[in-house]
Amino acid sequence: MRSASQVAEALVEVRKAFRLVYLYQQRALDLIQEISEQFDTQFYVWAPRNSGRPSGLTTPPWSRNIWDLLPMYDVSFLFLADSAASNAAVNSWMLEVRVQADSTFAPEGTDPDPRTFSPARDTRSTLAMFVYQCVEHPGRNWYYNIWTPITNRQDPPQAGNVLVAEGAKVIGVGCDLAEALDKAAVTAMVATLKQQMRSELGLMIA
Amino acid sequence: MLRAVLQGKVRPDVAKLLPNSSWRSVFRQVEDLNTAAVFSRLSYLPNPRPWQILMDAAHVHEPIPRRLREVTFWPNWTLEKTLEIGTRRQPDVLLRFEGRDIIVEAKPGDGDGQRPEQWAEQYIAYRSWQREAGGNREVWVFAVGGLGEPPRVPQRQNEARAHVQAKGHDPRGFTVLGCSWLALLRRLQEELADCQPEGPVGRILSDIIEALGLHGVRIRVWLDELPELMSHKGLGELPEAVSAVFARVAAPPKPYRDVEHWIDTAIAEPLDERALSALARRSP
């Protein structure tokens, strides 16, 4: 049995971890907003990728997965070029920014124990940006009818490739999150994706 | 908020409030509230600070500091009736400095919301109002936000001058200055760093900075700072003196009242530098 002082020591680490996560999330959210602004898009929806959103006012959090309280562990934010149009029109497009604090998440089980994950030094933190262009079946909801089925059933497109699914074309770029360290790095990455939007999707974007 | 309420700028939005609505959320959504919060507080600053802050934020070198004499929110001016457009023009603020008026047109965010044609019409309406009042003061248009990043003022000023001319007015002397909200924030933060934060000027500046923050205007932070932050003492080991306090809490000495006070203090205050020093001082 551990002593109170040993537990106190462990709790010091917990406090440090919370503070670090705060500082990380502050920067991750700024990064996401910067990307959205560089594409001149408006926020649409957000979606934790391996959990639900944190429970609401009257739902006890213990009735849900612990991971639901850690939504920024792996999260996607969706932005629309035309904020009023949550239903896609042909040639309209949507931006996804995905920030993964940790590339490891055991798919088995609903609430995996992080002790089963690969060592943190062996996994990655990543940033990915995808553009979805509606090419057919207009009128479908971007989130429910296009993004959700594509991300549930398809692997993300490899760099330079175009994925065609659910009436949409999808392109993307990604990097280690550590490479997106400042505004200049992010601007360069955005420029790469904009170039692909012009060449692969024929979208005229400044 | 007071200015916005007095000028009837909040009524339609407040009417939409539900029992659980957040005032914070309402404030964020209503740009007029931000404009009123920023510029009414700016006008409380002692002269010539309001002038200097605006000129510095717009990177304009003006050797003569000017005193702010009067502030009018949402002045309502009439365009000449010969123009084939609606006749009322209402810029956000009119700042009347010694020898020069400044028409402020604010747009949310730092996107591309400003319209040179709107500046031109405001200028023409101002001139019309001045003529009726028998005045002929110098006036500048000051655009805040909505100028793109980086702010594109000279090109847009030329566009606005072309609009003034196209509407049959003399564009000479028509000047547009501008800055992003972020540039204004940076200037305010510099001003705050140079004054007593607890003094009246510091409190006004802090208030403006908080109002801007509520509207999402704050200095963006980047991941490249993370390694340095990891060695910050808030994330590192607790100082020895504080560890000693916690050790005593674990095995409390008498009198208990002191221990309870330590615990209350430790819970109530975040463990920032000030709190840690205070705790260290209290340990016997």
Side-chain angles (χ1 to χ4, degrees):
Chain A
M1 190 163 156
R2 303 293 180 195
S3 68
S5 65
Q6 285 173 308
V7 174
E9 272 307 304
L11 290 173
V12 170
E13 297 304 314
V14 170
R15 293 197 291 274
K16 283 157 67 175
F18 266 108
R19 293 169 193 202
L20 185 57
V21 166
Y22 172 92
L23 294 168
Y24 160 75
Q25 292 192 173
Q26 186 185 35
R27 280 153 185 77
L29 292 173
D30 272 3
L31 171 68
I32 291 158
Q33 285 181 79
E34 176 69 29
I35 292 169
S36 152
E37 282 178 16
Q38 291 201 18
F39 279 97
D40 200 16
T41 52
Q42 301 294 314
F43 174 74
Y44 171 38
V45 295
W46 72 291
R49 298 301 298 271
N50 291 306
S51 61
R53 291 180 191 81
S55 64
L57 181 67
T58 56
T59 306
W62 51 87
S63 69
R64 308 265 298 268
N65 293 339
I66 302 297
W67 285 103
D68 290 2
L69 290 174
L70 298 163
M72 287 284 287
Y73 183 81
D74 183 356
V75 63
S76 283
F77 290 81
L78 306 184
F79 300 90
L80 294 174
D82 178 357
S83 60
S86 55
N87 291 340
V90 170
N91 272 336
S92 63
W93 56 276
M94 178 179 73
L95 171 71
E96 175 188 0
V97 183
R98 181 179 184 180
V99 177
Q100 241 184 340
D102 192 333
S103 56
T104 287
F105 194 88
E108 311 83 36
T110 53
D111 206 14
D113 184 336
R115 289 172 295 183
T116 64
F117 294 178
S118 307
R121 286 223 170 265
D122 298 340
T123 63
R124 298 173 66 205
S125 303
T126 64
L127 167 68
M129 294 184 266
F130 302 100
V131 171
Y132 297 72
Q133 180 190 31
C134 173
V135 289
E136 55 181 355
H137 311 309
R140 299 205 299 171
N141 180 273
W142 274 116
Y143 173 70
Y144 291 106
N145 306 125
I146 298 175
W147 184 81
T148 302
I150 289 178
T151 50
N152 281 346
R153 294 175 202 149
Q154 307 277 345
D155 288 330
Q158 297 299 306
N161 290 347
V162 180
L163 169 72
V164 182
E166 306 294 339
K169 285 183 177 177
V170 190
I171 58 169
V173 294
C175 69
D176 267 343
L177 191 51
E179 290 169 22
L181 77 171
D182 59 16
K183 184 170 181 172
V186 171
T187 303
M189 201 172 157
V190 166
T192 304
L193 185 55
K194 283 184 174 178
Q195 174 55 38
Q196 283 186 38
M197 288 170 75
R198 288 187 285 267
S199 61
E200 305 296 333
L201 305 181
L203 290 168
M204 292 303 115
I205 182 164
Chain B
M1 182 95 182
L2 173 65
R3 288 289 140 203
V5 170
L6 290 175
Q7 296 288 116
K9 286 286 181 177
V10 293
R11 197 173 40 212
D13 306 276
V14 172
K16 288 180 209 157
L17 274 179
L18 298 169
N20 290 330
S21 290
S22 142
W23 277 102
R24 180 180 285 259
S25 166
V26 170
F27 188 86
R28 278 186 183 137
Q29 288 162 21
V30 184
E31 188 53 29
D32 286 334
L33 294 181
N34 184 39
T35 305
V38 170
F39 283 93
S40 59
R41 281 161 182 75
L42 199 68
S43 74
Y44 301 157
L45 291 170
N47 279 312
R49 273 196 165 99
W51 175 264
Q52 285 171 335
I53 288 171
L54 291 176
M55 293 306 115
D56 289 351
H59 300 293
V60 171
H61 178 62
E62 273 283 303
I64 309 164
R66 294 174 191 268
R67 299 172 68 81
L68 182 59
R69 296 292 196 196
E70 193 183 324
V71 182
T72 307
F73 284 88
W74 302 288
N76 203 338
W77 299 323
T78 310
L79 274 172
E80 285 160 320
K81 294 187 174 68
T82 50
L83 294 171
E84 293 173 5
I85 36 183
T87 58
R88 310 299 298 179
R89 289 296 171 269
Q90 195 176 49
D92 290 306
V93 194
L94 176 67
L95 299 170
R96 311 204 78 183
F97 289 94
E98 271 174 346
R100 185 164 297 149
D101 286 352
I102 288 193
I103 300 167
V104 176
E105 182 55 39
K107 294 291 182 203
D110 284 326
D112 265 335
Q114 293 282 1
R115 291 189 305 112
E117 189 172 6
Q118 186 182 23
W119 303 337
E121 288 172 3
Q122 287 174 354
Y123 174 74
I124 294 167
Y126 168 88
R127 282 275 165 244
S128 172
W129 169 67
Q130 276 283 288
R131 266 197 305 280
E132 282 174 24
N136 188 26
R137 289 165 61 85
E138 275 189 63
V139 65
W140 288 349
V141 170
F142 196 104
V144 191
L147 288 163
E149 186 58 46
R152 293 183 293 277
V153 179
Q155 305 92 307
R156 291 182 163 206
Q157 176 180 257
N158 291 341
E159 277 180 59
R161 281 183 175 159
H163 284 296
V164 170
Q165 195 159 24
K167 292 176 199 301
H169 292 261
D170 185 357
R172 284 175 298 178
F174 173 50
T175 304
V176 179
L177 320 179
C179 69
S180 64
W181 288 108
L182 205 55
L184 181 60
L185 172 64
R186 286 204 179 99
R187 185 63 197 87
L188 291 165
Q189 286 183 326
E190 285 167 11
E191 196 73 19
L192 182 61
D194 287 343
C195 73
Q196 285 283 342
E198 287 90 16
V201 170
R203 286 201 297 271
I204 294 168
L205 290 167
S206 299
D207 229 27
I208 305 174
I209 290 167
E210 280 194 47
L212 289 170
L214 205 48
H215 275 263
V217 182
R218 61 179 187 78
I219 307 293
R220 213 155 259 177
V221 288
W222 296 94
L223 288 166
D224 63 350
E225 297 163 330
L226 216 45
E228 194 184 327
L229 291 170
M230 297 216 19
S231 60
H232 189 277
K233 60 177 169 291
L235 294 170
E237 294 304 318
L238 292 172
E240 255 179 46
V242 179
S243 300
V245 172
F246 280 117
R248 284 189 203 98
V249 171
K254 295 193 187 285
Y256 284 100
R257 187 176 299 167
D258 284 349
V259 176
E260 283 163 8
H261 177 69
W262 290 333
I263 295 171
D264 288 343
T265 310
I267 291 169
E269 296 178 12
L271 286 177
D272 63 9
E273 196 174 355
R274 248 181 303 180
L276 293 174
S277 313
L279 281 169
R281 277 200 304 277
R282 282 174 201 151
S283 61

